């Protein structure tokens, strides 16, 4: 190993392409949404004279003809094999290779075969210690994040290393870590074992990070933006005068509890990811998703729609109480309640989760081919459904929900013409204009679509109350035609 204390480091951060980004389900726009903030966060701990690059293989070609001193690779389950090949290459030419991320935390022994050092859990506490050890020539083989987890005094993300024009949403941001809930199927729950499972930035630090971002649109990638009421109240109060529009994620119970969702809407929340997951109470109990038990899903949809907030609903197929009717029931419910976009999943028992442990005990796992753990393939034996029926039902649900007739039917569930038009434009734009999105991506013009996104996310109000400026459907269409000019 080089004497790394004697000169600046050459560091290469890599996000290998997920398997699905190279397969038949690949949608270039889906994999061009957000930059790899985790790697940019770790890069902030380098010295100012260190030379660093971030390569996201979803949006650019990864070249292997360089010779960095240090290679840091982020590993998810469906890019694990690709990550290991890259790691083996760089180790073969003498680079020091670090692996971290969800999959590494779940299976550190597997990852360690391909790495000089592995990281388990979030890296804000362990990566600075590793760099100190590495510069001293005495790095450890494994770094585990347990005690002392905090987001205080975390340096600003190295956004200068992110190629903004490669992403539709370069203004993505994370202001919390983890989730206060503990669902049996959640991969993130295993990632935060051994220490604090949910913690936040200081409100002032979060607001400073927002102020550094240009434009109006933001996307909070936090698992549960409303998870800490005091933090969220302070964040939304501080954002009220910023004239931002933003998207995020929250749970069913947090939408119904108190007036936090109203504060979020006042601050600029226009679209939210909600984990409905299943319409069957027995599935919720078995999955330890107690925050959804006894909740009125219709009330969630009605409350969000009354605030002009679009819903991206998440639904899981293949839980133990699911029969052949689950696909039609779920899709019909989503359409009849005006869900703007839906994300469907085949239940996938990720290693390290309680669900996976139960499936192993019951002898129900069918494969350890990590390339298939993408929530699009059946990797376990369902309790009621046949594996082929589960796969066919999943495929049908996507086709049915995003038919033109279904999009129009869901849009008509809203009470105003403006909200109906907003729903129709957003849902169809996300799923029905793939050739146009592909062209925009090839031309590296995604940032020119930002005004379109901001226009669609503009507030829907009755009578244009409070002086809110609306963007008409005609103007949005005009913006869309200008993207490729």
């Amino acid at each position: 190993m080089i004497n790394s204390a004697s000169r600046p480091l050459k560091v290469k951060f890599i996000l290998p392409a997920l398997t699905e980004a190279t397969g038949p389900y690949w949608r270039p726009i889906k994999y061009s949404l957000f930059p790899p903030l985790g790697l940019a966060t770790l890069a902030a701990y380098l010295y100012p004279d260190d030379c660093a690059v971030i390569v996201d293989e979803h949006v650019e070609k990864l070249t292997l003809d360089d010779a960095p001193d240090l290679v840091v690779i982020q590993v998810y389950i469906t890019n694990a094999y690709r990550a290991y090949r890259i790691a083996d290459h760089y180790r073969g030419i003498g680079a020091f290779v670090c692996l971290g991320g969800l999959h590494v935390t779940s299976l550190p022994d597997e990852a360690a075969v391909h790495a000089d050092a592995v990281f388990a859990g979030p890296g804000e506490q362990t990566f600075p210690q590793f760099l100190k050890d590495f510069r001293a020539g005495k790095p450890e083989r494994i770094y585990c994040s347990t005690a002392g987890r905090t987001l205080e005094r975390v340096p600003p993300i190295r956004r200068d290393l992110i190629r903004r024009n490669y992403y539709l949403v370069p203004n993505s941001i994370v202001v919390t870590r983890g989730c206060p809930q503990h669902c049996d199927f959640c991969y993130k729950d295993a990632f935060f074992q051994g220490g604090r499972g949910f913690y936040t930035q200081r409100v002032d630090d979060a607001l400073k990070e927002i102020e550094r971002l240009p434009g109006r649109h933001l996307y909070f990638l936090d698992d549960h933006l409303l998870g800490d009421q005091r933090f969220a109240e302070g964040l939304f109060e501080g954002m009220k005068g910023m004239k931002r529009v933003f998207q995020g994620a929250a749970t069913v119970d947090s939408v119904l509890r108190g007036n936090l969702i109203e504060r979020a809407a006042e601050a600029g929340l226009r679209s939210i990811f909600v984990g409905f997951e299943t319409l069957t109470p027995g599935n919720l109990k078995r999955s330890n998703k107690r925050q959804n038990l006894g909740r009125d899903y219709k009330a969630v949809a009605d409350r969000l729609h009354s605030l002009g907030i679009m819903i991206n609903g998440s639904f899981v197929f293949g839980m133990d109480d699911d029969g052949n009717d689950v696909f039609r029931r779920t899709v019909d419910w989503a359409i009849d309640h005006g869900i703007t976009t839906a994300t469907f999943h085949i239940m996938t028992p990720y290693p390290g989760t309680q669900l996976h442990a139960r499936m192993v005990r019951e002898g129900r796992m069918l494969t350890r081919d990590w390339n298939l753990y993408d929530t699009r393939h059946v990797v376990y034996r369902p309790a009621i459904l046949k594996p082929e029926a589960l796969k066919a039902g999943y495929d049908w649900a996507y086709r049915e929900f995003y038919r033109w007739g279904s999009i129009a039917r869901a849009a008509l569930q809203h009470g105003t013409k403006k909200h109906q038009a907003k729903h129709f434009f957003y849902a169809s734009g996300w799923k029905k204009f793939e050739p146009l999105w592909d062209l925009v991506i090839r031309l590296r013009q995604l940032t020119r679509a930002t005004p379109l996104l901001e226009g669609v996310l503009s507030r829907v109000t009755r009578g244009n109350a409070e002086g809110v400026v609306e963007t008409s459907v005609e103007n949005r269409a005009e913006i869309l035609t200008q993207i490729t000019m």
Side-chain angles (χ1 to χ4, degrees), residues 33-34 37 159 169-174 213 216-222 225 245-249 271-273 312 426 453 457:
L33 288 177
F34 311 116
L37 292 186
R159 293 185 182 271
V169 189
N171 282 359
S172 52
I173 184 172
V174 182
L213 297 174
R216 293 184 64 214
H217 178 252
L218 303 172
Y219 201 116
F220 288 93
L221 295 173
D222 306 77
L225 186 58
V245 292
F246 64 92
Q247 298 169 266
S271 171
I272 193 166
F273 179 95
N312 176 14
Y426 189 92
L453 181 60
L457 292 173

Side-chain angles (χ1 to χ4, degrees), residues 332-378:
D332 282 349
W333 185 91
I335 293 172
D336 291 342
H337 290 82
I339 304 302
T340 309
T341 55
T343 306
F344 300 109
H345 311 271
I346 293 174
M347 189 174 75
T348 302
Y350 293 113
T353 64
Q354 293 297 314
L355 175 62
H356 184 267
R358 178 167 70 86
M359 291 293 163
V360 170
R361 287 195 307 270
E362 296 174 3
R364 294 170 60 183
M365 296 306 302
L366 299 177
T367 179
R368 283 177 59 90
D369 181 351
W370 306 138
N371 286 338
L372 301 178
Y373 281 62
D374 57 3
T375 78
R376 296 185 178 97
H377 294 85
V378 184

Side-chain angles (χ1 to χ4, degrees), residues 130-163:
F130 160 76
L131 287 175
K132 181 179 178 180
D133 296 344
F134 182 70
R135 294 182 195 277
K138 300 178 180 179
E140 301 288 341
R141 285 281 294 157
I142 184 166
Y143 289 82
C144 295
S145 171
T146 53
R149 290 178 185 168
T150 180
L151 292 179
E152 294 190 21
R153 299 178 299 280
V154 172
I157 295 173
R158 286 292 303 275
R159 293 185 182 271
D160 59 300
L161 300 178
I162 293 171
R163 303 190 184 198

Side-chain angles (χ1 to χ4, degrees), residues 38 41 74 76 101-107 119-126 144-151 174-183 186-201 221-224 351-354:
T41 299
Q74 186 170 5
Y76 297 111
L102 293 170
H103 190 65
V104 174
T105 301
S106 297
L107 297 172
F119 293 81
E124 285 90 357
Q125 284 69 55
T126 54
C144 295
S145 171
T146 53
R149 290 178 185 168
T150 180
L151 292 179
V174 182
V175 295
T176 69
R177 294 289 187 274
C179 180
Q181 311 297 339
H182 302 282
C183 305
C186 183
Y187 212 177
K188 295 287 185 73
D189 206 39
F191 186 68
F192 287 93
Q193 284 183 358
R196 297 174 67 186
F198 182 65
Y199 47 105
T200 74
Q201 282 186 314
L221 295 173
D222 306 77
D223 295 313
H224 190 356
T353 64
Q354 293 297 314

Side-chain angles (χ1 to χ4, degrees), residues 31 95 113 154 349:
Y31 297 97
V113 175
V154 172

Side-chain angles (χ1 to χ4, degrees), residues 373-389:
Y373 281 62
D374 57 3
T375 78
R376 296 185 178 97
H377 294 85
V378 184
V379 299
Y380 71 104
R381 187 167 57 254
I384 298 175
L385 291 162
K386 298 292 186 183
E388 56 272 18

Side-chain angles (χ1 to χ4, degrees), residues 23 50 120 229 322 333 393 398 411 415 426 432 471:
D50 291 331
Q229 181 171 343
D322 286 348
W333 185 91
Y398 262 117
Y426 189 92
K432 295 296 189 181
T471 303

